[in-house]
Amino acid sequence: MSIPEGVIPPKPTQVCKLEKSLYGLKQASRQLNARLSIELISLGYIQSFIDHSLFTKQNHDSFTAFLVYVDDIVLDGNDMIEIQDVKGHLDNLFRIKDLGPLRFFLGFEVAHSQRGILLNQRKYTLELLSDGGLTGAKHVSTPMEPTLRLCQNQGAPYHESAANRRLVRRLLYLTNTRPDISFTVQQLSQFVAHPTKPHFDAAIRVLKYLKRSPGKGIFFPSHNSLTLSGFTDADWATCPDTRKSTTGFYVFIRSSLITWKSKKQSIVSRSSAEVEYRALATLTCEVQWLTYLLHDLHIPISGPAMIYNNNQAAIHLAHNLTFHEHDNNIELDCHITREKIIKGLIHLLHVSTK
């Protein structure tokens, strides 16, 4: 440890004692979370097993939710006395800074109105465009060329791989409020180890697309019925390098989009029915996790979740309880969709491809 400036050089037998160990150490965030968890549990809060960063407290008609990311906190609830008490307790321990109503959190901008809440990353997007030198560039209408298929040995190698990785990493964080770029960023993230010039050009096209509407985000209406619905789809063997397929899904609470994903499947499937069946299993697990999370937040969900898919064969596989020749090569964990249909968690419906 270096001696701070202005301190008289100590004798050979003297040492410096580190009073605060929160910053600069690898275990700082873990130690802070452990200390904060102990304090919250002592105040009567319950840590969620579904999301360990969530703490809740229920007392008759009052409810308080406490969301933590290292030393950034969102506190919400309908009991202002409890909110003020927990803020005062934490201030005595850590000397916290109260920023008032939620407006900005971890790069997310929150806009409130009587109609609902708008969540976006406008400032983050503008910084991304500025760092890329594209503030004056012409925008494009799509994040990716519709006919483009990215592969490993496509074009000349791009030598500034570190810059490409940093750009894709920042785009990944932007997908938290921009589901319209999630598929394109998922495709780009597969080639960060050895990018080529076409890969980097595709990433720049995403920036040009973002320039068209940097303030676009997710809107949550204030009046909404609490019903879960999900849509899932998958392409079949479209990866030119591995012939693996890609799963995509969206989950809504009524008209509010709350979660989404675009991810390559782990194995090569033999048929489009198998691909869609695996996509259904992925969405089923997501719906199960959301059900547990909503239960921890004391939010009742009316009826089973409505799951929509455009493949009739996959739907028949999920409903058929007898042995079927088309599913004898599918792992057992994929049959979770069938299990949750029986238990009434989800209800599977067909939606046209159109």
Side-chain angles (χ1 to χ4, degrees), residues 191-265:
F191 310 105
V192 292
H194 304 287
T196 63
K197 188 63 168 59
H199 299 155
F200 182 73
D201 292 340
I204 294 298
R205 182 183 175 88
V206 178
L207 294 180
K208 293 180 180 179
Y209 170 75
L210 294 172
K211 186 180 183 298
R212 185 182 185 187
S213 53
K216 182 181 289 187
I218 303 296
F219 180 70
F220 303 98
S222 56
H223 301 287
N224 222 347
S225 60
L226 298 177
T227 56
L228 275 176
S229 62
F231 296 82
T232 180
D233 199 4
D235 58 6
W236 180 32
T238 54
C239 178
D241 298 315
T242 62
R243 288 303 173 188
K244 293 180 180 179
S245 308
T246 303
T247 295
F249 68 75
Y250 290 83
V251 181
F252 294 83
I253 291 185
R254 188 61 178 179
S255 61
S256 299
L257 180 62
I258 57 172
T259 181
W260 54 89
K261 179 176 286 188
S262 178
K263 184 178 182 180
K264 182 184 286 187
Q265 295 184 2

Side-chain angles (χ1 to χ4, degrees), residues 85-274:
D85 288 344
V86 69
K87 286 196 296 186
H89 182 79
L90 294 178
D91 186 54
N92 292 332
L93 292 173
F94 305 110
R95 286 183 292 182
I96 65 173
K97 182 184 294 184
D98 186 1
L99 300 179
L102 183 61
R103 301 292 182 187
F104 194 83
F105 183 73
L106 300 177
F108 298 91
E109 298 179 45
V110 185
H112 303 264
S113 70
Q114 293 183 350
R115 294 178 54 200
I117 295 174
L118 176 65
L119 190 68
N120 63 25
Q121 293 171 274
R122 182 178 180 275
K123 184 175 182 293
Y124 182 86
T125 304
L126 293 176
E127 291 177 353
L128 191 57
L129 292 172
S130 177
D131 293 344
L134 296 174
T135 54
K138 184 179 180 180
H139 63 76
V140 296
S141 58
T142 59
M144 187 176 184
E145 295 181 14
T147 58
L148 180 63
R149 289 291 181 268
L150 297 175
C151 58
Q152 290 182 356
N153 301 318
Q154 186 178 21
Y158 186 70
H159 299 290
E160 297 183 18
S161 57
N164 182 77
R165 282 195 299 269
R166 183 171 181 268
L167 175 57
V168 174
R169 185 168 62 246
R170 297 180 71 180
L171 289 174
L172 277 170
Y173 189 66
L174 191 58
T175 58
N176 287 302
T177 57
R178 296 296 297 261
D180 49 341
I181 67 171
S182 60
F183 173 76
T184 306
V185 176
Q186 180 267 334
Q187 293 287 303
L188 293 172
S189 62
Q190 301 176 56
F191 310 105
V192 292
H194 304 287
T196 63
K197 188 63 168 59
H199 299 155
F200 182 73
D201 292 340
I204 294 298
R205 182 183 175 88
V206 178
L207 294 180
K208 293 180 180 179
Y209 170 75
L210 294 172
K211 186 180 183 298
R212 185 182 185 187
S213 53
K216 182 181 289 187
I218 303 296
F219 180 70
F220 303 98
S222 56
H223 301 287
N224 222 347
S225 60
L226 298 177
T227 56
L228 275 176
S229 62
F231 296 82
T232 180
D233 199 4
D235 58 6
W236 180 32
T238 54
C239 178
D241 298 315
T242 62
R243 288 303 173 188
K244 293 180 180 179
S245 308
T246 303
T247 295
F249 68 75
Y250 290 83
V251 181
F252 294 83
I253 291 185
R254 188 61 178 179
S255 61
S256 299
L257 180 62
I258 57 172
T259 181
W260 54 89
K261 179 176 286 188
S262 178
K263 184 178 182 180
K264 182 184 286 187
Q265 295 184 2
S266 58
I267 69 170
V268 178
S269 299
R270 299 178 60 191
S271 65
S272 59
E274 181 182 347

Side-chain angles (χ1 to χ4, degrees), residues 77-89:
N78 57 5
D79 189 349
M80 292 305 300
I81 297 178
E82 170 63 26
I83 291 176
Q84 294 298 330
D85 288 344
V86 69
K87 286 196 296 186
H89 182 79

